[in-house]
Amino acid sequence: MENENDKLSEQEFLGKYDANVYEHPSVTVDTLIFSVMDNDSSNYRKLPEKELKILLIKRKDHPYRNQWALPGGFVKLDENLDDAAYRELKEETNVNDVYLEQLYTWGDINRDPRTRVISCSYMALINGNSTLITASSDAGDVKWFSLKSKVIQENKTIFEKGYQLEKKISIMLECGEVKLSCDVLITKKKEHEMISVTRKVLKSEGLAFDHSMIIYYGLERLRAKTEFTDIALHLMEQEFTLTELQNVYEVILDKTLLAANFRRKINMYVEETDNSTKDAGHRPARLYKHKQQKSYDFY
Amino acid sequence: MENENDKLSEQEFLGKYDANVYEHPSVTVDTLIFSVMDNDSSNYRKLPEKELKILLIKRKDHPYRNQWALPGGFVKLDENLDDAAYRELKEETNVNDVYLEQLYTWGDINRDPRTRVISCSYMALINGNSTLITASSDAGDVKWFSLKSKVIQENKTIFEKGYQLEKKISIMLECGEVKLSCDVLITKKKEHEMISVTRKVLKSEGLAFDHSMIIYYGLERLRAKTEFTDIALHLMEQEFTLTELQNVYEVILDKTLLAANFRRKINMYVEETDNSTKDAGHRPARLYKHKQQKSYDFY
DNA sequence: ATAATAGTGTCTTTCAGACAGTATAGT
DNA sequence: ACTATACTGTCTGAAAGACACTATTAT
């Protein structure tokens, strides 16, 4: 039970410490950058439709060469995790004004064919229309893809001491001619008090690594938070109309909302300005801005 | 722009790949193990009081020697993150039946004096009374500490383009004669669309690393989930009375609840059994068990 | 006038909170 | 009978959902 370190002072111990006795995993930060953008309105005086988008990068190197991946990279030894996420974000987009939140850390052994790579994922929300100056990166291999998902299968089994839920989700990404699609299977199994959630990529056409899982996880988080926080306001420009905001909510939640109820609900998050839209071919709408006064919790 | 890897096939590339060109951080898994236990009832026919507890281990080595820390350890190269958390859990307690959930990944540069260590934290809920057979570990340096926290300062500043919220929390841990205490400062700052949340340990008496932050983060998560999921039922034994369950909710949420309303609310999570308590010196209570039928979401 | 969007008033249903009241073992 | 807990019925008010209605601009 005697340990040779027992005799050392903390100073001495730290001096002797060798971090490289064991091999370490690599750690990356991968960021899911969301934005909602206007679809060019074809009809002459209709409002433009909104689309939920994410930023993807075409890989130039192995592995998954020529496939699309979330922007990210290795964490430097002298860099905080959050800072790494900011750095990568800044490298891909030219945006300073972002909402950034850690999502989840993915650590399956074989998620990267090169070596053991643990990925700490982040989600960023940026206002796409004003900051379209993206892709500081060299070629045109950084693109916004429209994102749609749907549940294509769901089943539930209840047995003696637990249950099992399975949900198969299809994710569709589109950018001009380029179409990517993948299926993710989420299994939640309960046995006694033990609950395990497994996420598995069933099919991945054009998307690298396990990034389809991360995308779906982030989408769920965005949806959940949109329902009861003001998070979606980070996707808006400085000033916006309530109808625009409603469209953003609708495109995230994938359902239509009633204007009267919507306005009542988000009233606490917004503040009137003196401005309004004009030349719209119909009644002008008042412009609002994100209200600071409310002090939602830290979570 | 030509890259020498361009000429390689994926196979060749992976064969040549050397993960050790750059130095890598170490990655640990640290688990916050919650339990709610009965306080030995002093009064002769009163119900025992419940206390929220967490499991801590006294460190035998530098750094933070003789201080208390969350159970955890380095992630092995051939081990999934979740598996690492299970393994550590199993090593400290003898429990199989646990609820386990990833919390957050802490990656500040200087959180460990030895070297760069990134910690992926987990939260486990176990039923303390039935599984008191903890501490498989050698000495008596694995202990359950009662956990209490309070907000000792809070302030809010609103300025032109944002606001700043500060919250100072005091955490008190107790196990017999051993008392640990620490203060954590949480700052949420918004400037334009950029939000940053910083957590800082202001004072830490007897608790190693930044573990007080992790403890508070987990506590907040447990509270939030207790409010609108059935998570707290994982802290119960197979069969329990509704009053016991209510006490568990009360000790987690740190407020008293009205029985009638509480029962209405948790009715969906529980299922009657045919059994009831007896010899209690008052009206016996029906025993309930955790209901499986409901299929809450995956989140 | 009409198309298209902007914006409001109010009924209903649902749900959370408060509280008073009844029930039943053991001593 | 009394103590301590177990359990229920119902009032109230707030919030969510549904829907009908009015308002205002450009062409």
Side-chain angles (χ1 to χ4, degrees):
Chain A
M1 202 101 302
E2 265 293 300
N3 185 327
E4 71 165 33
N5 286 330
D6 282 7
K7 297 162 215 125
L8 303 175
S9 73
E10 174 146 9
Q11 279 302 327
E12 290 166 334
F13 170 85
L14 290 175
K16 260 187 72 178
Y17 188 83
D18 179 7
N20 295 312
V21 191
Y22 302 103
E23 238 187 311
H24 297 172
S26 300
V27 179
T28 61
V29 160
D30 292 303
T31 305
L32 185 53
I33 310 177
F34 280 112
S35 189
V36 175
M37 294 177 193
D38 290 345
N39 199 349
D40 292 324
S41 57
S42 43
N43 311 36
Y44 81 112
R45 60 178 179 166
K46 283 219 170 124
L47 285 179
E49 271 181 29
K50 303 260 179 202
E51 276 189 333
L52 184 60
K53 305 250 186 185
I54 61 171
L55 196 77
L56 294 178
I57 299 189
K58 193 172 189 173
R59 290 184 56 80
K60 280 172 295 194
D61 291 325
H62 292 301
Y64 295 103
R65 191 169 168 183
N66 291 327
Q67 300 212 231
W68 296 83
L70 295 176
F74 292 96
V75 175
K76 298 183 177 163
L77 262 198
D78 57 350
E79 179 181 54
N80 292 348
L81 276 179
D82 290 1
D83 293 343
Y86 268 115
R87 176 176 53 78
E88 300 282 353
L89 195 57
K90 185 83 189 179
E91 280 170 23
E92 303 315 335
T93 67
N94 277 315
V95 192
N96 286 319
D97 249 20
V98 259
Y99 173 84
L100 191 68
E101 162 178 339
Q102 194 188 104
L103 278 178
Y104 193 82
T105 300
W106 309 86
D108 273 10
I109 303 171
N110 296 314
R111 51 176 303 285
D112 191 311
R114 288 169 292 190
T115 176
R116 177 72 190 280
V117 179
I118 292 172
S119 163
C120 183
S121 59
Y122 280 79
M123 164 172 97
L125 304 185
I126 76 174
N127 153 15
N129 284 334
S130 76
T131 48
L132 259 174
I133 348 93
T134 51
S136 77
S137 196
D138 32 282
D141 47 7
V142 179
K143 296 279 191 206
W144 286 106
F145 282 74
S146 72
L147 168 62
K148 285 197 178 97
S149 79
K150 68 170 184 269
V151 178
I152 51 177
Q153 210 187 87
E154 200 166 2
N155 59 59
K156 191 185 307 186
T157 323
I158 296 172
F159 39 86
E160 180 56 11
K161 283 291 171 199
Y163 56 84
Q164 174 167 320
L165 301 172
E166 275 193 347
K167 219 171 162 184
K168 200 194 280 184
I169 282 108
S170 165
I171 296 169
M172 290 143 294
L173 295 158
E174 208 175 317
C175 170
E177 293 303 297
V178 187
K179 289 180 193 193
L180 319 177
S181 75
C182 34
D183 295 349
V184 178
L185 179 72
I186 307 177
T187 312
K188 181 171 178 180
K189 194 169 164 187
K190 180 173 173 201
E191 246 181 299
H192 304 276
E193 291 315 299
M194 173 136 163
I195 288 195
S196 59
V197 181
T198 330
R199 288 154 194 274
K200 219 171 102 184
V201 180
L202 293 182
K203 188 192 87 179
S204 185
E205 284 171 10
L207 211 67
F209 305 103
D210 53 0
H211 288 185
S212 44
M213 256 159 42
I214 304 183
I215 293 171
Y216 189 71
Y217 188 89
L219 181 58
E220 292 248 290
R221 176 95 124 231
L222 176 61
R223 281 185 181 148
K225 285 209 160 186
T226 296
E227 297 258 31
F228 42 73
T229 75
D230 65 343
I231 196 175
L233 279 106
H234 298 293
L235 292 163
M236 308 306 294
E237 304 186 41
Q238 282 294 305
E239 301 198 338
F240 50 86
T241 69
L242 294 186
T243 305
E244 281 172 341
L245 184 59
Q246 182 176 339
N247 289 339
V248 168
Y249 269 70
E250 288 178 338
V251 91
I252 293 172
L253 300 175
D254 198 22
K255 65 180 177 195
T256 57
L257 304 170
L258 293 172
N261 302 341
F262 176 75
R263 278 152 191 261
R264 197 169 47 201
K265 185 176 164 159
I266 52 90
N267 185 52
M268 61 195 301
Y269 303 144
V270 296
E271 200 178 320
E272 267 187 31
T273 69
D274 296 328
N275 311 327
S276 48
T277 56
K278 44 183 177 233
D279 301 324
H282 51 75
R283 173 173 173 179
R286 163 152 267 133
L287 290 168
Y288 287 78
K289 60 181 188 185
H290 191 173
K291 190 195 262 177
Q292 311 295 354
Q293 341 299 1
K294 266 304 218 183
S295 78
Y296 335 104
D297 57 8
F298 283 87
Y299 216 58
Chain B
M1 201 103 300
E2 264 293 299
N3 185 327
E4 70 164 33
N5 286 329
D6 282 6
K7 297 160 216 129
L8 303 175
S9 73
E10 173 146 10
Q11 279 303 324
E12 289 167 337
F13 170 84
L14 291 176
K16 261 187 72 178
Y17 187 83
D18 179 8
N20 296 310
V21 191
Y22 301 103
E23 238 187 311
H24 296 173
S26 301
V27 179
T28 61
V29 160
D30 292 303
T31 305
L32 185 52
I33 308 176
F34 281 113
S35 189
V36 175
M37 294 179 194
D38 290 344
N39 200 347
D40 292 324
S41 56
S42 43
N43 310 37
Y44 80 113
R45 58 179 181 166
K46 284 219 170 123
L47 286 180
E49 271 182 28
K50 302 259 180 205
E51 276 189 333
L52 183 60
K53 305 252 184 180
I54 61 171
L55 196 76
L56 294 177
I57 298 189
K58 193 172 191 172
R59 290 183 57 78
K60 280 173 295 194
D61 291 325
H62 293 300
Y64 295 103
R65 189 168 169 185
N66 291 327
Q67 300 210 235
W68 296 83
L70 294 176
F74 292 96
V75 175
K76 299 182 178 165
L77 262 197
D78 57 351
E79 179 182 55
N80 291 348
L81 277 179
D82 290 1
D83 293 342
Y86 268 115
R87 176 176 53 77
E88 300 281 354
L89 195 58
K90 185 81 189 181
E91 280 170 22
E92 303 315 336
T93 67
N94 277 316
V95 193
N96 286 319
D97 251 20
V98 258
Y99 174 84
L100 191 68
E101 161 178 340
Q102 194 188 103
L103 279 178
Y104 194 82
T105 300
W106 309 86
D108 273 11
I109 303 172
N110 296 314
R111 53 176 300 285
D112 191 311
R114 287 169 292 188
T115 178
R116 178 72 191 281
V117 179
I118 292 174
S119 163
C120 182
S121 59
Y122 279 80
M123 164 172 97
L125 304 185
I126 76 174
N127 152 15
N129 284 333
S130 77
T131 48
L132 258 172
I133 349 91
T134 50
S136 76
S137 196
D138 33 283
D141 46 8
V142 179
K143 297 276 192 207
W144 286 106
F145 282 74
S146 72
L147 168 61
K148 286 197 177 100
S149 80
K150 69 170 184 268
V151 178
I152 51 178
Q153 211 188 87
E154 200 165 2
N155 59 60
K156 190 184 308 186
T157 324
I158 296 172
F159 40 87
E160 179 56 11
K161 284 289 169 200
Y163 57 82
Q164 174 167 319
L165 300 172
E166 274 194 347
K167 217 170 160 185
K168 201 193 279 182
I169 282 109
S170 165
I171 295 169
M172 291 144 294
L173 295 158
E174 207 175 318
C175 171
E177 292 304 296
V178 188
K179 289 181 193 192
L180 318 177
S181 76
C182 32
D183 294 350
V184 177
L185 179 72
I186 307 177
T187 312
K188 180 172 179 179
K189 195 169 163 186
K190 180 174 173 201
E191 246 181 300
H192 303 278
E193 291 315 299
M194 173 134 164
I195 287 194
S196 59
V197 180
T198 331
R199 287 154 195 275
K200 218 170 103 185
V201 180
L202 293 182
K203 188 192 88 179
S204 185
E205 285 171 9
L207 211 66
F209 304 103
D210 53 1
H211 288 186
S212 45
M213 258 160 41
I214 304 183
I215 292 171
Y216 189 70
Y217 187 89
L219 181 58
E220 292 247 292
R221 176 95 124 231
L222 176 61
R223 280 184 183 149
K225 286 211 158 186
T226 295
E227 298 257 30
F228 42 74
T229 74
D230 64 342
I231 196 177
L233 278 107
H234 298 294
L235 293 164
M236 308 307 292
E237 305 187 40
Q238 282 294 305
E239 302 199 337
F240 49 84
T241 69
L242 295 186
T243 305
E244 280 172 341
L245 184 59
Q246 182 176 340
N247 289 338
V248 168
Y249 269 70
E250 288 179 338
V251 91
I252 293 171
L253 301 175
D254 198 21
K255 67 182 176 195
T256 56
L257 304 170
L258 292 173
N261 302 341
F262 175 75
R263 278 153 191 259
R264 196 169 48 203
K265 186 177 164 160
I266 53 88
N267 185 53
M268 61 195 302
Y269 303 144
V270 296
E271 200 180 319
E272 266 188 31
T273 69
D274 296 328
N275 311 328
S276 48
T277 57
K278 43 183 176 227
D279 301 323
H282 51 77
R283 174 172 171 180
R286 163 152 267 133
L287 290 168
Y288 286 77
K289 60 181 186 186
H290 192 173
K291 192 196 262 178
Q292 313 294 356
Q293 342 298 0
K294 267 303 218 185
S295 78
Y296 335 105
D297 56 11
F298 284 87
Y299 214 60

